[in-house]
Coordinates of all heavy atoms in Angstrom, one line a residue:
P2 N 0.8 -1.2 0.0 CA 0.0 0.0 0.0 C 0.9 1.3 0.0 O 0.5 2.3 -0.7 CB -0.8 -0.1 1.3 CG -1.0 -1.6 1.4 CD 0.3 -2.2 1.0
R3 N 1.8 1.3 0.8 CA 2.7 2.5 0.9 C 3.4 2.8 -0.5 O 3.6 4.0 -0.8 CB 3.7 2.4 2.0 CG 4.6 3.6 2.2 CD 3.9 4.8 2.6 NE 4.8 5.9 2.7 CZ 5.3 6.7 1.8 NH1 4.8 6.5 0.5 NH2 6.1 7.7 1.9
V4 N 3.7 1.8 -1.2 CA 4.3 1.9 -2.5 C 3.3 2.4 -3.5 O 3.5 3.4 -4.3 CB 4.9 0.6 -3.0 CG1 5.4 0.7 -4.5 CG2 5.9 0.0 -2.1
A5 N 2.1 1.9 -3.4 CA 1.0 2.4 -4.3 C 0.6 3.8 -4.1 O 0.3 4.5 -5.0 CB -0.2 1.4 -4.1
L6 N 0.7 4.2 -2.8 CA 0.4 5.6 -2.5 C 1.5 6.6 -2.9 O 1.3 7.8 -2.9 CB 0.1 5.7 -1.0 CG -1.2 5.0 -0.5 CD1 -1.3 4.9 1.0 CD2 -2.4 5.7 -1.1
S7 N 2.7 6.1 -3.2 CA 3.8 6.9 -3.5 C 3.6 7.6 -4.8 O 3.2 7.0 -5.8 CB 5.2 6.2 -3.5 OG 5.4 5.7 -2.2
A8 N 4.0 8.9 -5.0 CA 3.7 9.7 -6.2 C 4.7 9.5 -7.3 O 4.4 9.5 -8.4 CB 3.6 11.2 -5.8
T9 N 5.9 9.2 -6.9 CA 7.0 9.1 -7.9 C 7.7 7.8 -7.9 O 7.7 7.0 -6.9 CB 8.1 10.2 -7.7 OG1 8.8 9.9 -6.5 CG2 7.5 11.6 -7.6
K10 N 8.3 7.4 -9.0 CA 9.1 6.2 -9.1 C 10.2 6.1 -8.1 O 10.4 5.1 -7.5 CB 9.6 6.0 -10.6 CG 8.5 5.7 -11.5 CD 9.1 5.6 -13.0 CE 7.9 5.4 -14.0 NZ 8.5 5.2 -15.4
G11 N 10.9 7.2 -7.9 CA 12.0 7.3 -6.9 C 11.5 7.0 -5.5 O 12.1 6.3 -4.8
E12 N 10.3 7.6 -5.2 CA 9.7 7.3 -3.9 C 9.3 5.9 -3.7 O 9.5 5.2 -2.7 CB 8.5 8.2 -3.6 CG 8.0 8.2 -2.2 CD 6.7 9.1 -2.0 OE1 6.4 9.8 -2.9 OE2 6.1 8.9 -1.0
K13 N 8.7 5.3 -4.8 CA 8.3 3.9 -4.7 C 9.6 3.0 -4.4 O 9.5 2.0 -3.6 CB 7.7 3.4 -6.0 CG 6.4 4.1 -6.3 CD 5.8 3.6 -7.7 CE 4.6 4.4 -8.1 NZ 3.4 4.1 -7.2
E14 N 10.7 3.3 -5.2 CA 11.9 2.4 -5.0 C 12.4 2.6 -3.6 O 12.9 1.6 -3.0 CB 12.9 2.9 -6.0 CG 12.5 2.4 -7.4 CD 13.4 3.0 -8.5 OE1 14.6 3.3 -8.2 OE2 13.0 3.1 -9.7
T15 N 12.4 3.8 -3.0 CA 12.9 4.0 -1.7 C 12.0 3.3 -0.7 O 12.6 2.7 0.3 CB 12.9 5.5 -1.4 OG1 13.7 6.3 -2.3 CG2 13.3 5.8 0.1
V16 N 10.7 3.3 -0.8 CA 9.8 2.6 0.1 C 10.1 1.1 0.1 O 10.2 0.4 1.1 CB 8.3 2.9 -0.2 CG1 7.4 2.0 0.6 CG2 8.1 4.4 0.0
L17 N 10.3 0.6 -1.1 CA 10.5 -0.9 -1.3 C 11.8 -1.3 -0.7 O 11.9 -2.4 -0.1 CB 10.5 -1.3 -2.8 CG 9.1 -1.4 -3.4 CD1 9.2 -1.5 -4.9 CD2 8.4 -2.7 -2.9
K18 N 12.8 -0.5 -0.8 CA 14.2 -0.8 -0.3 C 14.0 -0.8 1.2 O 14.7 -1.6 1.9 CB 15.2 0.2 -0.7 CG 15.6 0.0 -2.2 CD 16.5 1.1 -2.7 CE 16.7 1.0 -4.2 NZ 17.5 2.2 -4.8
N19 N 13.2 0.1 1.8 CA 13.1 0.2 3.2 C 12.3 -1.1 3.7 O 12.7 -1.6 4.8 CB 12.2 1.4 3.6 CG 12.1 1.6 5.1 OD1 13.0 1.6 5.9 ND2 10.8 1.5 5.5
I20 N 11.3 -1.5 3.0 CA 10.6 -2.7 3.3 C 11.5 -3.9 3.4 O 11.6 -4.8 4.3 CB 9.4 -3.0 2.4 CG1 8.3 -1.9 2.6 CG2 8.9 -4.4 2.6 CD1 7.2 -2.0 1.5
Y21 N 12.4 -4.0 2.3 CA 13.3 -5.1 2.2 C 14.3 -5.1 3.4 O 14.6 -6.1 4.0 CB 14.1 -5.0 0.9 CG 15.2 -6.1 0.7 CD1 14.8 -7.4 0.4 CD2 16.5 -5.7 0.8 CE1 15.8 -8.3 0.3 CE2 17.5 -6.7 0.7 CZ 17.1 -8.0 0.4 OH 18.1 -8.9 0.3
N22 N 14.9 -3.9 3.7 CA 15.9 -3.8 4.7 C 15.3 -4.0 6.1 O 16.0 -4.6 6.9 CB 16.5 -2.4 4.7 CG 17.4 -2.3 3.5 OD1 18.1 -3.2 3.0 ND2 17.5 -1.0 2.9
T23 N 14.1 -3.5 6.4 CA 13.6 -3.7 7.7 C 12.8 -5.0 7.9 O 12.9 -5.6 9.0 CB 12.6 -2.5 8.1 OG1 11.5 -2.5 7.1 CG2 13.3 -1.2 8.0
Y24 N 12.1 -5.4 6.9 CA 11.2 -6.6 7.1 C 12.1 -7.9 6.9 O 12.1 -8.8 7.7 CB 10.1 -6.6 6.1 CG 9.1 -7.8 6.3 CD1 8.6 -8.1 7.5 CD2 8.9 -8.7 5.3 CE1 7.8 -9.2 7.7 CE2 8.1 -9.9 5.4 CZ 7.5 -10.1 6.6 OH 6.7 -11.2 6.8
F25 N 12.7 -8.0 5.7 CA 13.5 -9.2 5.4 C 14.8 -9.3 6.2 O 15.1 -10.2 6.9 CB 13.7 -9.4 3.9 CG 14.6 -10.5 3.6 CD1 14.2 -11.8 3.8 CD2 15.9 -10.3 3.1 CE1 15.0 -12.9 3.5 CE2 16.7 -11.4 2.9 CZ 16.2 -12.7 3.1
L26 N 15.7 -8.3 6.0 CA 17.0 -8.3 6.5 C 17.1 -8.3 8.1 O 18.0 -8.7 8.7 CB 17.9 -7.2 6.0 CG 18.1 -7.3 4.5 CD1 19.0 -6.2 4.0 CD2 18.8 -8.7 4.1
K27 N 16.1 -7.6 8.7 CA 16.1 -7.4 10.1 C 15.0 -8.1 10.8 O 15.3 -9.0 11.7 CB 16.0 -5.9 10.4 CG 16.2 -5.5 11.9 CD 16.2 -3.9 12.0 CE 16.4 -3.5 13.4 NZ 15.2 -3.7 14.2
E28 N 13.8 -7.8 10.6 CA 12.7 -8.3 11.5 C 12.5 -9.8 11.4 O 12.4 -10.5 12.4 CB 11.4 -7.6 11.1 CG 10.2 -8.0 12.0 CD 9.0 -7.2 11.8 OE1 9.1 -6.0 11.7 OE2 7.9 -7.8 11.7
I29 N 12.5 -10.3 10.2 CA 12.3 -11.8 10.1 C 13.4 -12.5 10.8 O 13.1 -13.5 11.5 CB 12.3 -12.3 8.6 CG1 10.9 -11.7 7.9 CG2 12.4 -13.7 8.4 CD1 10.8 -12.1 6.5
K30 N 14.6 -12.1 10.6 CA 15.7 -12.8 11.3 C 15.6 -12.7 12.8 O 15.9 -13.6 13.5 CB 17.0 -12.2 10.8 CG 17.4 -12.6 9.4 CD 18.7 -12.0 8.9 CE 19.1 -12.5 7.5 NZ 20.4 -11.9 7.1
E31 N 15.2 -11.5 13.3 CA 15.0 -11.3 14.7 C 13.9 -12.1 15.4 O 14.1 -12.9 16.3 CB 14.8 -9.8 15.0 CG 16.0 -9.0 14.9 CD 15.8 -7.5 15.2 OE1 14.6 -7.2 15.6 OE2 16.7 -6.7 15.2
I32 N 12.7 -12.1 14.7 CA 11.6 -12.8 15.3 C 11.7 -14.3 15.2 O 11.4 -15.0 16.1 CB 10.3 -12.4 14.5 CG1 10.0 -10.9 14.9 CG2 9.1 -13.2 14.9 CD1 8.8 -10.3 14.2
L33 N 12.4 -14.8 14.1 CA 12.6 -16.2 14.0 C 13.9 -16.7 14.6 O 14.3 -17.9 14.5 CB 12.6 -16.5 12.5 CG 11.3 -16.2 11.8 CD1 11.4 -16.6 10.3 CD2 10.1 -17.0 12.4
N34 N 14.6 -15.8 15.3 CA 15.9 -16.1 15.9 C 16.9 -16.8 14.9 O 17.6 -17.7 15.2 CB 15.7 -17.1 17.1 CG 14.9 -16.4 18.2 OD1 15.2 -15.3 18.6 ND2 13.9 -17.2 18.7
L35 N 16.9 -16.2 13.7 CA 17.8 -16.7 12.7 C 19.1 -15.9 12.9 O 19.2 -14.8 13.2 CB 17.3 -16.4 11.3 CG 16.1 -17.2 10.8 CD1 15.6 -16.6 9.5 CD2 16.4 -18.6 10.7
P36 N 20.3 -16.6 12.7 CA 21.6 -16.0 12.9 C 21.7 -15.0 11.7 O 21.0 -15.0 10.7 CB 22.6 -17.1 12.7 CG 21.8 -18.1 12.0 CD 20.4 -18.0 12.4
E37 N 22.7 -14.1 11.8 CA 23.0 -13.2 10.8 C 23.7 -14.0 9.6 O 24.9 -14.2 9.5 CB 24.0 -12.1 11.2 CG 23.3 -10.9 11.9 CD 22.2 -10.3 11.0 OE1 22.5 -10.1 9.8 OE2 21.1 -10.0 11.5
D38 N 22.8 -14.6 8.8 CA 23.2 -15.6 7.9 C 23.2 -15.1 6.5 O 22.1 -14.9 5.9 CB 22.3 -16.9 8.0 CG 22.8 -18.0 7.2 OD1 23.8 -17.9 6.5 OD2 22.1 -19.1 7.3
Y39 N 24.4 -14.8 5.9 CA 24.4 -14.2 4.6 C 23.8 -15.3 3.6 O 23.4 -14.9 2.4 CB 25.8 -13.9 4.2 CG 26.8 -15.1 4.0 CD1 27.0 -15.5 2.7 CD2 27.4 -15.7 5.0 CE1 27.8 -16.6 2.5 CE2 28.2 -16.8 4.9 CZ 28.4 -17.2 3.6 OH 29.2 -18.3 3.4
K40 N 23.8 -16.6 3.9 CA 23.3 -17.6 3.0 C 21.9 -17.4 2.7 O 21.4 -17.7 1.6 CB 23.5 -18.9 3.6 CG 25.0 -19.4 3.8 CD 25.1 -20.8 4.3 CE 26.6 -21.2 4.4 NZ 26.8 -22.5 5.0
L41 N 21.1 -16.8 3.7 CA 19.6 -16.6 3.5 C 19.5 -15.5 2.4 O 18.6 -15.6 1.5 CB 19.0 -16.2 4.8 CG 17.4 -16.1 4.7 CD1 16.7 -17.4 4.3 CD2 16.9 -15.6 6.0
S42 N 20.3 -14.4 2.5 CA 20.3 -13.4 1.5 C 20.7 -13.9 0.1 O 20.1 -13.5 -0.9 CB 21.2 -12.3 2.0 OG 20.8 -11.7 3.1
K43 N 21.7 -14.7 0.1 CA 22.1 -15.3 -1.2 C 21.0 -16.2 -1.8 O 20.7 -16.1 -3.0 CB 23.3 -16.2 -1.0 CG 24.6 -15.5 -1.0 CD 25.8 -16.5 -1.1 CE 27.1 -15.8 -1.3 NZ 28.2 -16.7 -1.6
L44 N 20.3 -16.9 -0.9 CA 19.2 -17.7 -1.4 C 18.1 -16.9 -2.0 O 17.6 -17.2 -3.1 CB 18.6 -18.6 -0.2 CG 17.4 -19.4 -0.6 CD1 17.7 -20.4 -1.6 CD2 16.9 -20.1 0.7
I45 N 17.7 -15.9 -1.3 CA 16.5 -15.0 -1.9 C 16.9 -14.4 -3.2 O 16.1 -14.2 -4.1 CB 16.0 -14.0 -0.8 CG1 14.6 -13.5 -1.2 CG2 17.0 -12.8 -0.7 CD1 14.0 -12.7 -0.2
N46 N 18.2 -14.0 -3.3 CA 18.7 -13.4 -4.6 C 18.6 -14.5 -5.7 O 18.2 -14.2 -6.8 CB 20.1 -12.9 -4.5 CG 20.1 -11.5 -3.9 OD1 20.0 -10.5 -4.6 ND2 20.2 -11.4 -2.5
A47 N 19.0 -15.7 -5.4 CA 19.0 -16.7 -6.4 C 17.6 -17.1 -6.8 O 17.3 -17.3 -8.0 CB 19.7 -18.0 -5.8

């Protein structure tokens, strides 16, 4: 929703990067007690 509400492409990309950084890289690992595992980031990229 926050992306859809964004007026410009630059704003959309910034919001998406924030979602990725806070939700995937930080929150999921914290709540699930996952270690700082670069392998998970490699997996999602692949």
Side-chain angles (χ1 to χ4, degrees):
R3 179 66 180 82
V4 177
L6 293 168
S7 298
T9 66
K10 293 179 180 179
E12 187 181 351
K13 291 178 189 295
E14 291 173 21
T15 299
V16 172
L17 281 166
K18 288 171 186 174
N19 182 61
I20 291 171
Y21 176 75
N22 288 328
T23 58
Y24 181 60
F25 174 68
L26 294 182
K27 184 172 182 289
E28 182 172 314
I29 288 177
K30 289 181 179 180
E31 285 182 0
I32 292 177
L33 299 177
N34 294 316
L35 294 173
E37 279 301 318
D38 187 356
Y39 71 95
K40 292 180 180 180
L41 187 61
S42 297
K43 277 191 169 185
L44 175 61
I45 197 171
N46 276 274

